[in-house]
Amino acid sequence: MALRVGVVGGGQLARMMIAPAVELGIDIRVLAEDEGMSAQLAATEVGDYRDLDTVRRFAADVDVVTFDHEHVPQDVLRALVAEGVAVHPGPDALRFAQDKLDMRARLAELGAPQPDWARVAGPDELQAFLDAHGGRGVVKTPRGGYDGKGVRVVSRADEAADWFAGLDEGDALLAEELVPFVRELAQQIARRPNGESVAYPVVETVQRDGVCAEVTAPAPGVDAAQAAEAERIGREIADGLGVTGMFAVELFQTADGRILVNELAMRPHNSGHWSQDGAVTGQFEQHLRAVADLPLGGAAPIAPWSVMVNVLGGPADAGMLDRVPAALAASPRAKVHTYGKAPRPGRKVGHVNVSGAELDAVRADARAAAAAFD
Ligand code: ADP
């Protein structure tokens, strides 16, 4: 009987698991939030992932439950595990991708390099942190943030007054030093339940307005020692937290060459989309293999360079699919991935991958194909 993998969440990450699931003969099922989502093709159920009964019913028909996002509540996850459901990544790991304060505290215990940070329960504590860090800092809501929502650079505590006002009793915000990074990197690890893992090459990511815009794999100009350091950080955290499936560590690189952990994702990640077409095993296939406890595939690049360019927004006056021919025409090596979403300013609606030998030409081709969707 086919292995049945249930994915909670019907976004583009679930969508991109469908093709490799078909190839491997995995029966993939998706619990989607709504009708007509990106992963509609495999959506066997529509319902609320915060509702235990809904998730329990979905989980009853699959061999392993995994995720398109990190928002399934801990009590739901823990109830499933207690009932014997295989959940990967499990709640003990996932909590460190769900709450940035928990993450910072745990990374400190693991000795991972990270920015100075503090738990700030009110404006006075935030102001004290800012005063101790040159008068500026980054304040973050610990939960529910994505794509830069829930992140603010501030120089006065009252700039976070609305967030403090919205906190529940006993909750707090995360304050971080404003890292003078020269660029952002990401390290991905795939890890099986038995601890076996493979590391992808460290990549460079470029964010625009807090949203991932472009990724270059491997990260240009990273020397062997830095690449090894990024891989070591990724593996130590993956092992330390017991992550299963695809794991991404977002990193800052500073002018003096230091690497600091920004945040963690326990699922396929935008920084790994290049691997669909540029690595021996794409991250969506790898995620399925890891959570289903199948042998992992190689993570080596199949070309010297791969560039992924996100399509942000999409055409203002047309549907995404209207522009696919132009994107394909932009370069015969452009691999176009659409998410089945309606265009909307700033929204991630697709991406383009190009792999090849010359970085400048690879990047130009990827940008040209993505620009066909403007
Ligand atoms: P999200 O969870 O919304 O992706 P992140 O914590 O990754 O939020 O922050 C989004 C972006 O904000 C980062 O990619 C980085 O560009 C910037 N950023 C976050 N934290 C810091 C920091 N401590 N110093 C400098 N820039 C930061």
Side-chain angles (χ1 to χ4, degrees):
M1 195 178 70
L3 202 53
R4 299 161 304 173
V5 174
V7 184
V8 179
Q12 65 260 23
L13 302 181
R15 175 186 179 94
M16 290 186 274
M17 293 178 207
I18 298 173
V22 170
E23 290 167 358
L24 290 173
I26 289 173
D27 178 356
I28 185 169
R29 301 168 184 207
V30 170
L31 170 59
E33 295 85 331
D34 284 304
E35 298 289 347
M37 291 193 66
S38 292
Q40 173 76 26
L41 197 58
T44 50
E45 196 160 329
V46 171
D48 184 354
Y49 58 79
R50 293 164 301 191
D51 177 57
L52 176 58
D53 286 338
T54 300
V55 181
R56 184 188 273 138
R57 199 168 52 237
F58 176 70
D61 287 331
V62 299
D63 299 304
V64 56
V65 171
T66 190
F67 311 97
D68 161 272
H69 58 69
E70 283 136 354
H71 307 310
V72 180
Q74 279 285 320
D75 53 352
V76 172
L77 298 172
R78 289 184 187 282
L80 294 183
V81 171
E83 290 164 16
V85 177
V87 178
H88 291 297
D92 290 336
L94 204 54
R95 54 178 280 233
F96 300 108
Q98 292 178 319
D99 188 304
K100 291 179 182 177
L101 276 168
D102 288 353
M103 173 195 77
R104 287 281 176 237
R106 188 76 182 101
L107 291 181
E109 288 173 3
L110 291 173
Q114 55 178 346
D116 269 347
W117 65 279
R119 181 180 196 279
V120 289
D124 292 348
E125 288 181 14
L126 175 56
Q127 193 59 53
F129 181 88
L130 298 176
D131 292 345
H133 291 85
R136 292 225 297 167
V138 181
V139 58
K140 301 185 179 183
T141 54
R143 303 180 144 267
Y146 65 95
D147 287 349
K149 296 174 184 64
V151 175
R152 266 183 213 163
V153 177
V154 300
S155 46
R156 292 193 328 267
D158 62 15
E159 291 172 74
D162 54 333
W163 285 352
F164 282 120
L167 287 179
D168 290 336
E169 186 69 30
D171 282 353
L173 299 177
L174 169 64
E176 293 179 358
E177 70 171 295
L178 182 62
V179 177
F181 63 82
V182 289
R183 61 174 173 169
E184 294 185 69
L185 304 173
Q187 174 68 53
Q188 283 191 301
I189 305 285
R191 189 171 179 280
R192 276 176 84 171
N194 67 4
E196 182 196 329
S197 64
V198 298
Y200 284 80
V202 65
V203 302
E204 177 174 349
T205 69
V206 176
Q207 269 59 239
R208 225 167 278 140
D209 299 327
V211 181
C212 178
E214 195 168 300
V215 174
T216 304
V222 164
D223 62 33
Q226 288 168 333
E229 162 83 349
E231 181 175 330
R232 186 186 61 75
I233 291 169
R235 283 192 197 270
E236 284 187 6
I237 300 173
D239 290 341
L241 303 184
V243 182
T244 42
M246 283 300 303
F247 175 54
V249 186
E250 298 179 11
L251 301 161
F252 296 127
Q253 187 177 22
T254 61
D256 55 4
R258 281 179 313 139
I259 291 176
L260 303 173
V261 176
N262 175 25
E263 68 164 343
L264 313 177
M266 297 181 193
R267 49 174 168 73
H269 188 253
N270 204 157
S271 65
H273 289 353
W274 68 275
S275 66
Q276 289 174 298
D277 303 298
V280 173
T281 311
Q283 64 164 345
F284 298 97
E285 174 178 344
Q286 195 78 282
H287 185 72
L288 292 169
R289 289 163 73 144
V291 301
D293 205 13
L294 295 168
L296 300 177
I302 57 165
W305 298 106
S306 293
V307 171
M308 187 272 344
V309 177
N310 268 354
V311 178
L312 298 174
D317 56 350
M320 277 293 287
L321 302 186
D322 298 325
R323 299 291 176 82
V324 168
L328 300 178
S331 166
R333 56 185 180 175
K335 309 299 278 185
V336 170
H337 300 263
T338 62
Y339 300 165
K341 290 163 133 181
R344 196 168 68 206
R347 190 180 202 197
K348 287 179 185 171
V349 289
H351 69 268
V352 174
N353 290 329
V354 175
S355 298
E358 298 281 335
L359 177 55
D360 287 347
V362 165
R363 187 181 285 136
D365 279 5
R367 288 180 181 171
F373 293 102
D374 286 348

